[in-house]
Amino acid sequence: MVLSEITITKAIIDRFSRKFMECIDVDTAVVGAGPAGLVASYFLAKAGRKVAVFERKLSVGGGMWGGGMMFNEIVVQEEGKEILDLFGIGAREYEPGYYTADAIEAASTICSHAMKAGARIFNCMSVEDVMIREGRVIGLVITWSPVQMAGLHVDPLTVTAKNIVDATGHDTEVLAVIARKADIHLFTDTGKILGERSMWAEKAERLTLENTKRICPGVYVAGMSANAAFGGPRMGPIFGGMLLSGKRVAELIAAGR
Ligand code: 48F
């Protein structure tokens, strides 16, 4: 068989276009393919929801690959270990209640499970704005990340979603654009983003779960974004809260809460 470059080109454009077309109106759009976003997309897809994940970077996994300060091991406490076990990620007890896992195994395995469950992930796509109708966020405005990076003057495209998950980590990027551009009152004490506080692992891990919730009509927060939105502290390279937050947000969406 003689390989044709044109067939290769057509195959990629054709397959990608179909995949993308299937995701321009979804049940849930997850912004950010870090640990919280990936776990959320796994559970949502598993529950039969049509879910698309938009990730700014070329790679998925967010802050997980680098473990702590690029020592590529993560720590997970007892509560979060159930998620590692579910995905078959090797966890070793370090001291009672503290487990470690290889950061590369964790990130790649969670991503693989999310995709095999049916989630679709679009890397190199950045969410730069939202669409709002009658006080509810109904969709995302997306562009290619390299367009943003190069500062090119190119108009974006849009996707609609019944539910949006801001899993963008420390910068709460979806909420930030809502706060900047819309009159929507967030379900926080002030109605605005409260902002992340300094490192306190114990408190932060607990609060991550509490703060995982609907933050305005159409939008949920998960992972570090949830803590930053509700004024919780950061926690550093312990990941149980991130994993459980992804599961929690999927449960809330499935229950319509
Ligand atoms: O930062 P990230 O890993 O968020 P997370 O899932 O987990 C936080 C931990 O990694 C760590 C921690 C300890 O547990 O505190 O920081 O809450 O992943 C967020 C992802 O969102 C992407 C970003 O590139 C990253 O991969 N992202 C951020 N803004 C956008 C975005 C955007 N506007 N559009 C698309 N993707």
Side-chain angles (χ1 to χ4, degrees):
M1 191 187 94
V2 180
L3 283 176
S4 157
E5 290 84 355
I6 296 305
T7 306
I8 295 168
T9 302
K10 280 182 180 170
I12 288 173
I13 294 173
D14 189 22
R15 290 283 197 249
F16 178 82
S17 302
R18 284 167 201 260
K19 184 165 64 179
F20 192 30
M21 282 287 276
E22 281 169 14
C23 289
I24 55 176
D25 178 34
V26 290
D27 178 83
T28 304
V30 178
V31 187
L38 287 177
V39 172
S41 66
Y42 166 79
F43 281 105
L44 285 160
K46 202 81 187 152
R49 301 296 181 111
K50 191 170 166 191
V51 48
V53 185
F54 298 96
E55 167 53 52
R56 164 175 293 148
K57 295 195 179 140
L58 186 55
S59 63
V60 297
M64 204 173 227
W65 298 108
M69 221 180 94
M70 292 207 290
F71 296 1
N72 64 1
E73 289 279 319
I74 58 166
V75 172
V76 170
Q77 64 278 54
E78 196 73 54
E79 296 83 356
K81 185 175 170 286
E82 67 177 70
I83 308 271
L84 296 182
D85 292 343
L86 174 78
F87 293 134
I89 298 166
R92 293 194 297 152
E93 191 169 50
Y94 183 70
E95 277 185 19
Y98 294 78
Y99 295 86
T100 61
D102 184 282
I104 310 299
E105 183 188 354
S108 57
T109 305
I110 297 170
C111 178
S112 168
H113 275 82
M115 297 231 50
K116 286 184 193 301
R120 291 288 162 260
I121 302 178
F122 296 92
N123 56 342
C124 273
M125 283 196 196
S126 289
V127 171
E128 63 167 45
D129 204 343
V130 294
M131 289 184 287
I132 299 171
R133 298 289 183 279
E134 284 145 26
R136 182 185 175 90
V137 181
I138 57 140
L140 299 169
V141 178
I142 56 175
T143 191
W144 292 115
S145 303
V147 166
Q148 276 191 342
M149 290 161 77
L152 301 179
H153 190 170
V154 179
D155 269 316
L157 291 175
T158 52
V159 294
T160 49
K162 288 189 189 64
N163 309 289
I164 289 162
V165 179
D166 183 335
T168 62
H170 298 267
D171 295 332
T172 62
E173 293 212 14
V174 178
L175 299 185
V177 76
I178 295 170
R180 197 168 70 244
K181 290 195 173 185
D183 295 328
I184 289 185
H185 185 91
L186 303 179
F187 303 149
T188 61
D189 288 347
T190 60
K192 309 218 174 304
I193 301 166
L194 298 183
E196 175 188 305
R197 316 293 277 195
S198 291
M199 178 100 75
W200 188 347
E202 161 77 29
K203 190 173 170 189
E205 283 293 281
R206 184 171 35 80
L207 284 177
T208 304
L209 265 196
E210 278 177 33
N211 291 332
T212 298
K213 52 187 148 183
R214 202 150 60 89
I215 189 151
C216 68
V219 183
Y220 294 76
V221 274
M224 194 55 227
S225 174
N227 266 8
F230 286 95
R234 65 189 304 187
M235 72 290 293
I238 179 155
F239 281 81
M242 297 300 122
L243 305 175
L244 292 169
S245 171
K247 185 178 179 205
R248 168 74 60 89
V249 81
E251 287 166 355
L252 292 173
I253 290 171
R257 301 205 335 252

